[in-house]
Amino acid sequence: MPKLLERMVNLMGLNEEEQGEEEEEEEEEGEGEKEEEKEETAEKEQPQSTVFDFLLKIEETSQDKKKIIDLQLDDLEITDDIFQQINLKQYPNLKILSLWGNQISNIELVKNLVKELPQLKALWLNHNPCLNEQDELVLASDFEKLCPELELFNSKLTERYSEWALLYLAQKQDQTVQSVDDVRSLDLSERGIKNLDKVASLFPRVSDLNIQSNEHLDFSSVLNSLASFKNLRSISIDEKDLNQENLKSLSQSSLSLRRVNENWLYYLLAHPKVEKSPEEDKIDEVLNGLWKYVQSYRISTSNAFDEQPVFYILDELGTRIRHSDTPNVRIAPFFHQPTLTSYSLLWPVKDIKSNEELFRDYLFGISESQQRNDRLEVWFKTGRDEHFQEKIRQRRQSDAPTVSKKSTYGPLSFPIAPPNSPPFRFYSDYELVQQYVTRPDFILTESVSDASVLWMTSQVNFPEVEKMSK
């Protein structure tokens, strides 16, 4: 492979074998440090006190243990002994219990304790030692027998799932959802569903549906259920099912369907997927992700109105410097005129300790008033949904009707020049401006040097601007 392609493949983590070897080496090197960190953490706080302090805060907030319906006890280092001390009977109306990422190893202990929760509808035991070497389907069946209301087990839907479970998942995806009528998008990927008939009957208004990674969901059963989704516009299916025959069947089963796996259905039908070699797939992935690493600067010439963009990629060091809102270095392009050579200069903006990682600001000089958070979405998940919701909330507040005794607004149009003064001469290369600027305050001129106002879509060369300013 060409050197640039090889470098970008490694940078983007597309070379799985080499990446795996590097990760193993890093794990071996960092093993001692992790053990030290664990020891320090254990010394700082005892898991038992942390768990019961957490429960105490929940009880103080609710003021009544009978009102507690949701317990999220994730990553609290709960062991068998600690879990046995938690009196779950004191939460008789508990519907949701999450024990994700703890140290519970006795599955029989869990069974004995949760069977005391008659209203339990959702249970998470993911990433606990008690699930090691356990058959997932058998275990789910055991808990369904112990908990007659259970609809969600380890992120998967049980056989008796109802509107409650689907609405719960929809609300996790979109916090603005209040009822079935509000659900327009439903992500059921990796939920263990076997058919869509129940989903279609409960949520017929869904327009965006994701059913990827459901190993027991047969594609033919999907086709039989699609007609029940009257408003379905987009669906996400497994790549193995993405062939021309299935695409044609999808278009025939749902007349409203427009997109499949975020691509237009008519485009997929018109452009059958061509099987590519692993190297060709890597080239496509590099090309699709390359723009995140490409940077640019512009060169203006003395006798041209437009600017010439130059695109470039930093070297091995530059491309690996990550982003931070509080960077310790800056990088800027530099063009050396005598040798007609371009460089990227890197310099520190604060003291940097030995072995400290370098960080730069990908959007240096861009503030939130210039949509900084939205622009960072190009590289990261920055909480865009929450950010947009806040913008919507602010917009609604600003658009709310207000009561005023008398308007204080002035005229919509007013003179910008003193009385009896000559009109401003302006120059523009924009046809719409030339056509629609008809105010008497302005007169269009055909020369940049004669104009006192410029409205340009391209760069103005410096001699004319300097002459105009004089």
Side-chain angles (χ1 to χ4, degrees):
M1 278 187 287
K3 290 185 177 180
L4 176 59
L5 176 60
E6 185 176 356
R7 174 153 64 92
M8 299 311 297
V9 165
N10 292 330
L11 182 63
M12 296 179 184
L14 302 178
N15 197 332
E16 296 179 357
E17 294 180 0
E18 294 182 9
Q19 186 181 15
E21 294 175 0
E22 291 178 2
E23 288 177 354
E24 289 179 3
E25 293 177 0
E26 290 176 0
E27 286 177 2
E28 291 175 0
E29 293 175 359
E31 187 174 345
E33 295 179 1
K34 289 180 180 179
E35 290 179 358
E36 292 177 3
E37 290 176 1
K38 287 182 179 179
E39 291 176 1
E40 292 176 1
T41 304
E43 291 175 0
K44 289 180 181 178
E45 56 179 1
Q46 296 296 325
Q48 182 172 344
S49 60
T50 302
V51 172
F52 289 102
D53 288 344
F54 184 76
L55 288 172
L56 184 60
K57 289 180 180 178
I58 294 176
E59 293 169 4
E60 289 176 348
T61 303
S62 63
Q63 298 181 346
D64 185 355
K65 295 180 181 179
K66 293 182 179 180
K67 293 182 179 179
I68 297 176
I69 62 172
D70 187 350
L71 273 184
Q72 302 287 336
L73 305 178
D74 301 338
D75 299 310
L76 293 177
E77 299 185 23
I78 298 175
T79 61
D80 292 344
D81 293 337
I82 296 175
F83 186 53
Q84 196 165 13
Q85 296 178 47
I86 301 175
N87 184 13
L88 293 178
K89 291 182 181 179
Q90 61 185 332
Y91 312 115
N93 297 316
L94 192 66
K95 293 184 178 181
I96 302 167
L97 176 61
S98 179
L99 298 165
W100 188 295
N102 285 293
Q103 303 299 322
I104 302 171
S105 58
N106 189 340
I107 192 65
E108 296 302 323
L109 172 64
V110 179
K111 291 179 180 179
N112 290 332
L113 292 177
V114 299
K115 70 180 181 181
E116 305 294 338
L117 302 171
Q119 298 192 45
L120 190 66
K121 289 182 174 291
L123 174 64
W124 283 267
L125 295 172
N126 309 63
H127 301 289
N128 276 281
C130 64
L131 295 185
N132 294 343
E133 300 180 3
Q134 294 282 346
D135 187 293
E136 186 177 356
L137 293 177
V138 173
L139 198 60
S141 177
D142 290 344
F143 276 96
E144 285 184 63
K145 294 175 183 177
L146 293 170
C147 306
E149 298 292 325
L150 195 65
E151 298 186 24
L152 276 168
F153 177 72
N154 284 356
S155 307
K156 302 286 180 72
L157 292 163
T158 68
E159 293 288 347
R160 63 168 66 96
Y161 79 87
S162 68
E163 177 184 309
W164 181 90
L166 296 178
L167 189 59
Y168 177 82
L169 295 175
Q171 289 171 336
K172 283 289 186 182
Q173 183 181 348
D174 183 358
Q175 296 180 358
T176 63
V177 170
Q178 299 296 326
S179 66
V180 173
D181 293 335
D182 299 329
V183 179
R184 294 294 179 269
S185 179
L186 194 58
D187 186 352
L188 296 179
S189 58
E190 299 183 273
R191 296 298 180 186
I193 55 176
K194 298 179 180 179
N195 64 73
L196 293 175
D197 292 340
K198 188 186 293 186
V199 179
S201 63
L202 294 171
F203 294 85
R205 297 185 179 182
V206 166
S207 59
D208 182 8
L209 182 63
N210 186 345
I211 54 173
Q212 292 177 331
S213 302
N214 286 286
E215 57 182 337
H216 301 293
L217 182 62
D218 184 66
F219 189 78
S220 59
S221 70
V222 173
L223 295 175
N224 293 332
S225 304
L226 283 187
S228 301
F229 293 97
K230 302 299 183 182
N231 299 325
L232 191 63
R233 297 289 185 272
S234 174
I235 191 171
S236 296
I237 61 176
D238 291 333
E239 287 293 325
K240 64 180 179 62
D241 295 324
L242 200 61
N243 55 57
Q244 290 300 105
E245 182 179 350
N246 287 345
L247 289 172
K248 291 178 182 178
S249 299
L250 283 173
S251 64
Q252 294 168 359
S253 300
S254 176
L255 298 178
S256 62
L257 189 64
R258 295 292 179 268
R259 297 176 73 89
V260 177
N261 289 16
E262 300 184 358
N263 294 294
W264 291 107
L265 177 56
Y266 74 85
Y267 180 85
L268 294 175
L269 289 170
H271 300 82
K273 186 177 180 181
V274 179
E275 293 296 328
K276 297 181 179 180
S277 67
E279 183 170 333
E280 289 175 322
D281 286 336
K282 286 184 179 180
I283 292 174
D284 288 343
E285 291 186 60
V286 167
L287 291 176
N288 289 332
L290 191 63
W291 55 272
K292 291 186 179 181
Y293 301 90
V294 171
Q295 301 185 73
S296 67
Y297 59 86
R298 293 179 178 272
I299 297 178
S300 60
T301 60
S302 58
N303 58 357
F305 282 89
D306 59 337
E307 293 180 338
Q308 177 184 350
V310 177
F311 298 93
Y312 66 98
I313 297 177
L314 294 170
D315 62 9
E316 288 82 354
L317 172 63
T319 50
R320 290 186 179 272
I321 297 178
R322 296 191 295 169
H323 167 81
S324 173
D325 290 335
T326 56
N328 51 18
V329 299
R330 277 193 62 193
I331 298 179
F334 176 80
F335 185 77
H336 188 238
Q337 181 65 35
T339 59
L340 298 178
T341 307
S342 59
Y343 305 88
S344 286
L345 301 182
L346 181 150
W347 68 96
V349 294
K350 61 173 66 174
D351 292 338
I352 302 175
K353 299 179 181 179
S354 177
N355 294 324
E356 182 180 350
E357 184 176 356
L358 301 182
F359 291 97
R360 65 187 181 96
D361 187 350
Y362 288 178
L363 293 178
F364 177 76
I366 304 296
S367 64
E368 190 51 46
S369 63
Q370 298 167 293
Q371 292 81 43
R372 177 183 176 87
N373 195 68
D374 298 340
R375 296 186 187 201
L376 283 174
E377 188 74 17
V378 170
W379 294 280
F380 317 103
K381 294 298 179 184
T382 57
R384 183 178 183 179
D385 291 340
E386 292 82 357
H387 183 63
F388 282 178
Q389 290 298 327
E390 177 62 20
K391 282 188 174 181
I392 292 172
R393 186 186 65 79
Q394 294 175 357
R395 176 65 60 85
R396 285 174 177 171
Q397 288 180 348
S398 63
D399 290 347
T402 56
V403 178
S404 177
K405 294 182 180 180
K406 186 177 180 180
S407 173
T408 58
Y409 292 103
L412 296 178
S413 179
F414 52 87
I416 62 174
N420 301 322
S421 62
F424 292 99
R425 294 180 177 272
F426 80 95
Y427 176 89
S428 178
D429 59 352
Y430 192 21
E431 291 184 5
L432 292 177
V433 174
Q434 297 173 4
Q435 181 179 355
Y436 290 105
V437 176
T438 57
R439 287 179 50 134
D441 310 79
F442 297 94
I443 293 180
L444 180 66
T445 178
E446 296 182 357
S447 173
V448 173
S449 58
D450 293 337
S452 55
V453 176
L454 299 180
W455 188 323
M456 308 296 296
T457 61
S458 56
Q459 177 69 37
V460 181
N461 54 354
F462 294 102
E464 290 187 315
V465 171
E466 184 178 358
K467 180 179 178 182
M468 180 189 70
S469 64
K470 293 179 180 180

